[in-house]
């Protein structure tokens, strides 16, 4: 990094505070300086960069497109610095350990095993966020995400936890007497799909079966999908990991299975130092497999 080309830190702090608060008075209060000092820092930063960061044409200052771009980068950068400082000084220790994962993984794998972690780590307060949405791992937010895929998410550290392919399964009573040799044979079946996802629709469309779920799909929370499948309410796309016990017991039958391309559930964290609670959780996950 060419440190001599970087703008003065005071100017960047003043600009970040202004972008966060929306005016020079509040920014000055946040940094314990006068609003005049904030204004001076903002003008000095613009001169240093040779870029108009603020629009002064209106009654109040506002950010230009370039200013918004810089503000976003400073929010991420200063946020990361603040997070590491808190982790290193211990001030972040009281914050609950925030875990993000899908409702299916939470219900079928994580929750049955969590008592073991709680027993070994009674002082760690957990916050489980079961959502089908892929959330960002911002400083001060999600500590660990458990995501399904092939890994390699940009800007994040990933480690394969469980390798497991995707499968289509259903109750034998639902399938009985029906010919199922290729994906198009599934078009007339009812389907169950997790809210906020399109796994079933995508699976069929990738195999040339389009529009099959327009009227034949029920969406529900992920922890209810396999219950519905076991009861014969429809077919479901899930991982082999979640249905192996049901298949062995005869409650479900696998109709199609994806080729094994190394997909599975990954431990996903931000690069850098993990706070102690997150480190304990990740180490526990590794031992659990």
């Amino acid at each position: 990094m060419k440190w001599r080309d970087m703008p003065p830190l005071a100017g960047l702090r003043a600009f970040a505070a202004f972008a966060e608060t929306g005016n020079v008075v509040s920014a000055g209060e946040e940094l314990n300086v006068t609003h005049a000092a904030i204004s001076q820092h903002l003008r000095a930063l613009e001169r240093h960069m040779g870029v108009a960061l603020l629009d002064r044409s209106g009654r109040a200052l506002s950010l230009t497109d370039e200013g918004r771009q810089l503000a976003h980068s400073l929010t991420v950068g200063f946020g990361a610095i603040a997070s590491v400082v808190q982790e290193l000084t211990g001030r972040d220790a009281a914050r609950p350990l925030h875990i993000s994962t899908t409702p299916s993984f939470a219900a079928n794998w994580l929750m049955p095993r969590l008592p073991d972690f709680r027993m070994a780590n009674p002082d760690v307060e957990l916050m489980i966020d079961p959502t089908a949405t892929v959330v960002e791992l911002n400083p001060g937010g999600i500590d660990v995400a458990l995501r399904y895929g092939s890994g390699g998410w940009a800007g994040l550290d990933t480690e394969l936890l469980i390798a497991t392919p995707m499968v289509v399964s259903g109750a034998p009573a639902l399938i009985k007497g029906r010919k199922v040799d290729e994906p198009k044979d599934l078009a007339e079946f009812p389907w169950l799909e997790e809210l906020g996802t399109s796994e079933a629709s995508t699976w069929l469309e990738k195999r040339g079966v389009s529009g099959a779920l327009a009227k034949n799909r029920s969406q529900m929370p992920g922890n209810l999908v396999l219950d519905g499948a076991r009861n014969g309410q429809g077919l479901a796309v899930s991982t082999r990991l979640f249905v192996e016990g049901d298949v062995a017991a005869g409650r479900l039958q696998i109709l199609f299975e994806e080729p094994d391309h190394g997909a599975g559930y990954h431990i996903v964290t931000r690069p850098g130092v993990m706070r102690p609670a997150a480190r304990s959780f990740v180490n526990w996950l590794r031992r659990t497999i």
Side-chain angles (χ1 to χ4, degrees), residues 112-137:
R113 292 167 173 80
L114 266 186
D116 177 66
F117 176 79
R118 293 183 182 279
M119 185 175 297
N121 301 270
D123 297 330
V124 175
E125 181 181 355
L126 282 171
M127 182 183 297
I128 309 297
D129 181 15
T131 175
T133 303
V134 177
V135 297
E136 294 187 15
L137 273 67

Side-chain angles (χ1 to χ4, degrees), residues 258-287:
E258 293 291 290
D260 185 2
H261 294 312
Y265 284 94
H266 291 74
I267 303 170
V268 185
T269 56
R270 295 186 304 276
V273 179
M274 282 189 284
R275 61 196 186 103
R279 189 163 56 247
S280 296
F281 183 74
V282 170
N283 288 336
W284 170 78
L285 287 172
R286 291 169 179 152
R287 294 193 301 269

Side-chain angles (χ1 to χ4, degrees), residues 248-267:
R251 292 185 293 267
L252 290 175
Q253 177 180 339
I254 292 178
L255 302 175
F256 291 95
E257 181 170 335
E258 293 291 290
D260 185 2
H261 294 312
Y265 284 94
H266 291 74
I267 303 170

